[in-house]
Amino acid sequence: MKKIFKLSILLLFVLVICTACEGDVTRALRHEGFSVGGEFVCDAFFDENYTDKIKYLTASRIITTSGRIYEVNLGQKFSNNANCKVADTSLKVVSIFDDRIFKADDGKLYTLNEENNANAFTEVTSADNSYAIYQLLLEPEGTIKAMTADSGNGIYYVLKSDGNVYGITISQEDRNAPPIIVGSVLVYSRDDYGSNIVDFGYHGDNATTFVRTENKVFHMSASNRDECSKYADIPCNYQMVEATVFEEYKDYILVFNGSTVITTYKRVFSMSG
């Protein structure tokens, strides 16, 4: 009887400690500008025996470290009574562009979402006007992720397996000539951020622009946020700063994509603005 009582006290103590920690994480994320949302139900990613972790979270997809694709809906559950389900495809993601096009393990390009009256996971061919650009960005060995930085000037940011993000400029002399890469510069250097960059998101001078390394997260932050959010004639002065909350509470962060955080205690947080 005494053993059962002691065990009950121990379990209660652990529960109280864990609840306190979750509260600390919630407060820290709110201080970073995130608002608290609903619960995230997706059993696979909370199973200790499931080793395939979340690599990317998009508006409607989860991509795991093995390249497996899940459908995700943070606002409404699927018929399996969860916010996620395995996508109806055997394709594995190798590299991704703008959260909408991906290179698969068969070497071909596919759509990640439904678009232009085509189903998700439809092969992208030369009939697509942007096919040659997708090829230039996704086909080179070592490409992990690409994003449009300035479509008007043909500038794209590309994360490579060397842990750096490069600014690639693509140009086309005329509509009959194929697009070519005319420039490449280092945009986010692993040396500047302390270790290999494993993910990034670029949205200009915006709080959702981020760089994530193996150990830390950096994101755009307005040094004069109180003033520029209050007055229409005062511009925000943005700079990339370390978000220490992600290092301090890394064991509680399931996934982060710049605008959304999902914690290990199944709570969704969204960037407030």
Side-chain angles (χ1 to χ4, degrees):
M1 189 68 178
K2 289 183 178 180
K3 289 183 178 180
I4 296 176
F5 178 74
K6 289 180 179 179
L7 182 59
S8 299
I9 293 296
L10 178 60
L11 291 174
L12 181 61
F13 176 76
V14 171
L15 179 62
V16 170
I17 292 297
C18 290
T19 302
C21 290
E22 293 172 5
D24 291 341
V25 177
T26 295
R27 284 186 289 273
L29 287 172
R30 293 182 67 178
H31 182 72
E32 285 289 333
F34 290 90
S35 57
V36 185
E39 184 183 16
F40 178 66
V41 179
C42 186
D43 291 344
F45 299 109
F46 299 99
D47 184 347
E48 293 181 357
N49 298 318
Y50 188 72
T51 58
D52 201 12
K53 307 299 182 182
I54 299 176
K55 186 175 184 180
Y56 300 124
L57 170 68
T58 75
S60 59
R61 300 286 186 264
I62 282 175
I63 299 170
T64 70
T65 50
S66 71
R68 196 177 191 186
I69 304 171
Y70 284 76
E71 291 186 43
V72 61
N73 189 315
L74 299 180
Q76 188 176 13
K77 292 179 180 178
F78 296 104
S79 58
N80 62 0
N81 205 35
N83 296 109
C84 73
K85 66 177 183 177
V86 178
D88 186 20
T89 178
S90 61
L91 296 169
K92 297 291 185 69
V93 175
V94 174
S95 53
I96 186 172
F97 169 67
D98 276 357
D99 290 348
R100 50 178 292 268
I101 303 294
F102 69 97
K103 177 183 176 182
D105 51 349
D106 64 1
K108 299 177 182 179
L109 303 180
Y110 295 88
T111 58
L112 186 61
N113 312 303
E114 297 79 8
E115 58 178 66
N116 299 325
N117 297 318
N119 294 326
F121 320 124
T122 299
E123 183 179 353
V124 181
T125 68
S126 57
D128 189 304
N129 293 332
S130 299
Y131 178 72
I133 293 177
Y134 302 152
Q135 282 188 309
L136 287 174
L137 294 172
L138 295 181
E139 290 205 341
E141 192 71 24
T143 296
I144 296 174
K145 181 178 182 179
M147 291 191 72
T148 302
D150 183 346
S151 59
N153 290 305
I155 301 174
Y156 304 87
Y157 286 179
V158 180
L159 173 62
K160 296 285 190 176
S161 57
D162 63 2
N164 294 309
V165 176
Y166 298 87
I168 305 296
T169 302
I170 295 177
S171 182
Q172 189 173 6
E173 288 188 6
D174 56 63
R175 65 173 58 184
N176 297 316
I180 58 173
I181 295 176
V182 296
S184 176
V185 297
L186 190 59
V187 177
Y188 301 130
S189 169
R190 55 163 298 184
D191 294 334
D192 292 337
Y193 289 93
S195 61
N196 283 338
I197 297 170
V198 297
D199 193 14
F200 80 101
Y202 181 77
H203 305 280
D205 287 340
N206 189 288
T208 58
T209 292
F210 75 97
V211 167
R212 183 166 63 87
T213 71
E214 296 165 329
N215 304 306
K216 299 181 178 181
V217 169
F218 302 80
H219 69 150
M220 282 287 188
S221 179
S223 58
N224 61 337
R225 184 169 62 179
D226 290 341
E227 289 182 315
C228 72
S229 60
K230 183 177 181 180
Y231 300 107
D233 57 344
I234 296 182
C236 294
N237 299 321
Y238 281 98
Q239 57 184 341
M240 195 75 83
V241 299
E242 182 181 350
T244 55
V245 61
F246 291 97
E247 182 179 9
E248 183 176 358
Y249 296 110
K250 61 183 179 181
D251 292 338
Y252 292 87
I253 306 298
L254 184 70
V255 64
F256 165 71
N257 70 356
S259 60
T260 302
V261 175
I262 300 176
T263 66
T264 57
Y265 53 95
K266 303 182 181 182
R267 186 60 60 186
V268 179
F269 294 80
S270 300
M271 179 58 67
S272 301

